[in-house]
Amino acid sequence: MKRFLLLLLFFPIFYSLAQTKVGNFHFNDIDTFGDKELMLNGAGKRDNLYVLGLYLDFEVDGVQDGIMVADKDETMAFTLKSSSHISNKKLTEIVRNGLERATDGNSYQYEDEIRNLIAILPKEIEKYQIFRIVYTKGDKISLYKNMNLLGSVKSGIEFKQALFKIWLGENPVDEKLKEDLLGTAETNPVLGQWKTYDKKTGVAISIIQLYVIKDRVHGSINRMLRQSERDAVCYECQGDDKNQKVEGLVILKRLREDGPNKYVDGKFTNITDGKVVDCQIWLDKKDENILNVKYKGGGGVHKWKRIKDTKDTKRIDLRTVKSF
């Protein structure tokens, strides 16, 4: 699914996040819940009460998969951002009414779990507060305010299914919100992981991750392919990049769009000599799995090859990368 592939392209950093905007709120395209990294599948708003984002680590093909997502015994999460004040009474009403709808009037079967969940709800929700509802596979439902754990409810899969069907079931609290949570999106084919090669010998050098921040394309070194270069340091680099590890270094910066699948006016950092030069990139017209990369002093056009299967590639945590 295209949305799934798109979200593999983004990784969180502290100061410049790859994000999706819903109204005045932003959701990280990839976020960490406990020790689990999950991808934003979709986000939408519920009247003027809150905006909600659904985080998964598996494919969804659209709104028809709502029941599948709710029923699946896999770690997943909602991030809720309040857009108005919600009292504890109103919050309790939302939970109980939602569960009644989700279970076709049979929520009494889960009364113990419901009471335990209500017990850990905040006394009130103020505007702009952030909450996370996290289901841990085969274990529990946890509620967080910001990053602080409010409490957990030991949950069998049945209660988890009922809870998630409040938003994803056949009778959700908001049909449009359900569509937004389960919707798909077209990908930008320039983004993703690309393997670079020595222009003279054809030997593979590294894996580069391309991603977008504020409408500009950037690229970082995900992995050096030679074992001996995994811990290499860019002693010749300039500014904040000087003496930084090569793996994780942002070597493509601020490329702007200039027509279909072409980006120009960026900067390229050559890790061999530390020089920062002008660069541009564009997809090959005959094969979109080839990315043409041209930078000053590079000896012509370099051809990077798309990595289609990312299962065996290391995910770089861009929280270690300095903002720019």
Side-chain angles (χ1 to χ4, degrees):
M1 175 211 156
K2 291 182 177 179
R3 179 66 173 171
F4 177 76
L5 295 176
L6 172 64
L7 294 177
L8 285 174
L9 313 180
F10 299 94
F11 301 88
I13 55 180
F14 283 152
Y15 302 107
S16 297
L17 293 169
Q19 296 181 326
T20 292
K21 186 176 182 181
V22 178
N24 296 320
F25 296 87
H26 293 80
F27 289 86
N28 296 341
D29 284 335
I30 284 190
D31 216 337
T32 301
F33 300 83
D35 60 354
K36 186 77 170 181
E37 188 179 74
L38 300 174
M39 297 161 286
L40 179 68
N41 188 79
K45 66 178 182 177
R46 165 73 166 141
D47 298 328
N48 293 317
L49 289 174
Y50 56 82
V51 293
L52 192 70
L54 172 64
Y55 285 84
L56 309 170
D57 69 350
F58 55 87
E59 299 183 36
V60 174
D61 287 328
V63 69
Q64 69 276 7
D65 278 353
I67 300 299
M68 180 274 287
V69 174
D71 285 348
K72 203 172 182 66
D73 187 15
E74 295 289 346
T75 296
M76 59 185 73
F78 287 113
T79 292
L80 183 151
K81 302 188 178 187
S82 61
S83 48
S84 66
H85 175 269
I86 306 174
S87 67
N88 181 269
K89 181 179 179 181
K90 178 64 175 178
L91 195 56
T92 299
E93 180 183 318
I94 290 171
V95 171
R96 284 200 172 275
N97 178 258
L99 284 166
E100 274 289 276
R101 293 175 63 114
T103 61
D104 296 328
N106 293 296
S107 64
Y108 68 89
Q109 300 176 72
Y110 310 107
E111 186 58 29
D112 288 343
E113 291 90 340
I114 294 172
R115 289 178 181 273
N116 290 336
L117 179 61
I118 290 174
I120 63 175
L121 293 178
K123 293 183 178 179
E124 60 182 0
I125 294 180
E126 297 295 341
K127 191 174 182 179
Y128 302 126
Q129 288 184 332
I130 302 172
F131 293 86
R132 295 175 169 194
I133 304 166
V134 183
Y135 172 69
T136 303
K137 180 179 179 180
D139 187 16
K140 60 189 176 183
I141 291 168
S142 300
L143 179 64
Y144 294 82
K145 178 181 178 181
N146 299 322
M147 300 299 290
N148 300 315
L149 178 65
L150 296 180
S152 298
V153 176
K154 195 71 176 178
S155 171
I157 186 61
E158 292 84 4
F159 180 62
K160 177 266 180 183
Q161 292 167 346
L163 184 65
F164 274 66
K165 285 176 183 176
I166 291 177
W167 298 281
L168 305 177
E170 294 178 347
N171 187 25
V173 293
D174 190 312
E175 287 284 355
K176 179 60 169 62
L177 175 57
K178 176 181 174 179
E179 292 175 6
D180 291 337
L181 294 171
L182 297 165
T184 59
E186 293 298 317
T187 64
N188 180 339
V190 169
L191 306 179
Q193 293 191 340
W194 300 87
K195 185 176 286 189
T196 74
Y197 299 84
D198 185 288
K199 192 171 175 60
K200 293 182 179 179
T201 66
V203 176
I205 300 173
S206 62
I207 294 172
I208 305 296
Q209 179 80 49
L210 296 189
Y211 54 95
V212 170
I213 295 177
K214 296 181 179 179
D215 298 322
R216 296 295 180 104
V217 171
H218 303 261
S220 60
I221 298 177
N222 192 330
R223 174 177 289 186
M224 297 301 292
L225 296 175
R226 287 192 177 93
Q227 292 285 347
S228 60
E229 295 178 350
R230 291 284 168 82
D231 296 317
V233 174
C234 192
Y235 296 110
E236 303 298 327
C237 283
Q238 305 171 18
D240 290 338
D241 291 338
K242 187 173 180 63
N243 298 331
Q244 298 298 315
K245 284 192 63 175
V246 168
E247 284 196 352
L249 202 65
V250 182
I251 63 169
L252 286 173
K253 297 179 181 179
R254 305 185 189 95
L255 287 140
R256 67 171 179 83
E257 189 172 8
D258 184 37
N261 302 325
K262 182 178 181 181
Y263 291 80
V264 301
D265 295 340
K267 295 296 181 182
F268 176 83
T269 298
N270 191 328
I271 60 174
T272 59
D273 58 19
K275 291 182 179 179
V276 179
V277 296
D278 296 335
C279 71
Q280 58 181 297
I281 63 175
W282 67 96
L283 283 185
D284 194 280
K285 292 182 179 180
K286 295 182 179 180
D287 185 354
E288 69 172 14
N289 292 313
I290 299 294
L291 182 70
N292 296 302
V293 180
K294 186 176 181 180
Y295 53 89
K296 188 175 180 180
V301 176
H302 294 251
K303 293 187 178 294
W304 297 358
K305 295 182 180 180
R306 186 190 305 276
I307 297 177
K308 298 180 181 179
D309 187 352
T310 60
K311 291 180 180 178
D312 297 324
T313 59
K314 168 189 171 185
R315 283 187 176 181
I316 183 171
D317 183 355
L318 292 183
R319 288 174 289 186
T320 63
V321 178
K322 294 182 180 294
S323 59
F324 35 79

